[in-house]
Amino acid sequence: MIKSVFFVCFFLLFSIDVAAQANGLIEDIETSELLNNLAPELKTAGMLTLMSLVPVMLIALTAFTRIVIVLSMLRHALGLQQTPPNVVIITLSLFLTFFTMSPVFEKADENALRPYIKSEISLSQAIENGAEPFKAFMLQQTREEDFLAVLDMAGESHAPDTMDDVTFKHLIPAFLLSELTTAFKIAFVIFIPFLLIDLVVASVLMSLGMIMVPPISIALPIKVMLFVLIDGWSLVTGSLVASFA
């Protein structure tokens, strides 16, 4: 439990540093120096205010985006508008994100959090070490064309030569674009069998002359039954986690 609290605090500091670098707020002053120069009251107020960056960084730096979009699209493919509820989808997405990002969290914990707690490295070095696993994960999942498109939008003349030259202000939007594209591709594949069921049910009802019967009233229980019989939730979630390998 204590370790989790420390990791959340470190992730918050990492989020502040990434956001500041992305906006050009920190250039010559290290994060540790900036924090040490603030009064205790300002530190408390700033930390409470900047805690809102943690959910943003969760979306921007982890597998959460792809997972929550696919699960939401799956709900629509089944024809269920509010079942499962949004809170269930988000909670399941959070835990699947934790499973997916466990190797990244472990590397950040080993290279940054533990040495910092033992006072072996400074805060700025801990943030730098902790950023590397996230950057490697994001680069692995980012499509080259999306990254080049972001560089073009930013007016950059050439792509970075090494991973160390890649900045988060370019990597984060490219990563999110890639995640959106991948999520929609997965959702399209999921939609196909449910669409076929809708078409078959509609054709059967039309051939029987049952025009006044809404096809969704017949197709919905069939889709739910088939999805449960094939253990669909386990298949989808397992495939989602495996898609990040």
Side-chain angles (χ1 to χ4, degrees):
M1 181 63 183
I2 297 177
K3 179 180 176 181
S4 301
V5 173
F6 275 120
F7 193 83
V8 170
C9 294
F10 169 77
F11 193 67
L12 172 61
L13 294 173
F14 173 52
S15 303
I16 296 171
D17 184 71
V18 170
Q21 290 183 20
N23 289 279
L25 299 177
I26 297 179
E27 296 179 357
D28 300 325
I29 302 177
E30 292 187 353
T31 306
S32 57
E33 296 177 356
L34 180 64
L35 293 177
N36 290 332
N37 291 332
L38 292 177
E41 295 79 6
L42 291 178
K43 289 182 181 179
T44 303
M47 292 293 287
L48 291 176
T49 302
L50 292 173
M51 281 186 68
S52 60
L53 290 176
V54 174
V56 175
M57 291 299 115
L58 175 67
I59 297 173
L61 304 176
T62 68
F64 180 81
T65 300
R66 181 190 305 184
I67 295 172
V68 73
I69 289 178
V70 171
L71 294 181
S72 299
M73 296 287 278
L74 172 61
R75 181 175 63 182
H76 287 290
L78 285 169
L80 303 171
Q81 300 301 320
Q82 296 297 329
T83 304
N86 289 332
V87 64
V88 176
I89 295 293
I90 293 175
T91 303
L92 178 59
S93 300
L94 285 173
F95 278 95
L96 291 178
T97 300
F98 176 77
F99 296 148
T100 303
M101 300 296 296
S102 289
V104 179
F105 291 155
E106 290 175 0
K107 289 182 181 179
D109 177 55
E110 180 180 355
N111 299 334
L113 183 58
R114 293 182 184 178
Y116 176 69
I117 293 176
K118 297 178 181 178
S119 300
E120 297 176 356
I121 58 177
S122 63
L123 176 60
S124 59
Q125 185 63 42
I127 292 176
E128 183 179 350
N129 293 348
E132 293 303 319
F134 288 93
K135 182 182 290 186
F137 169 79
M138 294 168 69
L139 284 173
Q140 182 182 6
Q141 302 300 325
T142 302
R143 302 189 309 163
E144 182 179 357
E145 51 267 34
D146 291 328
F147 189 72
L148 294 177
V150 171
L151 290 178
D152 183 64
M153 287 186 286
E156 298 290 339
S157 58
H158 63 279
D161 297 326
T162 63
M163 187 182 75
D164 295 334
D165 298 330
V166 177
T167 60
F168 278 101
K169 68 179 180 181
H170 297 144
L171 181 58
I172 289 176
F175 171 71
L176 289 176
L177 289 176
S178 298
E179 288 297 281
L180 288 172
T181 302
T182 305
F184 274 70
K185 288 180 179 179
I186 297 175
F188 173 76
V189 176
I190 292 176
F191 259 94
I192 292 178
F194 297 112
L195 179 60
L196 292 177
I197 293 175
D198 289 332
L199 292 176
V200 170
V201 170
S203 299
V204 171
L205 291 178
M206 287 289 292
S207 63
L208 294 177
M210 304 173 64
I211 303 177
M212 301 302 295
V213 178
I216 187 63
S217 62
I218 306 297
L220 179 58
I222 295 177
K223 289 189 290 186
V224 172
M225 179 187 66
L226 291 177
F227 190 70
V228 172
L229 289 177
I230 64 173
D231 200 12
W233 288 110
S234 296
L235 290 176
V236 171
T237 54
S239 299
L240 272 175
V241 174
S243 67
F244 291 95

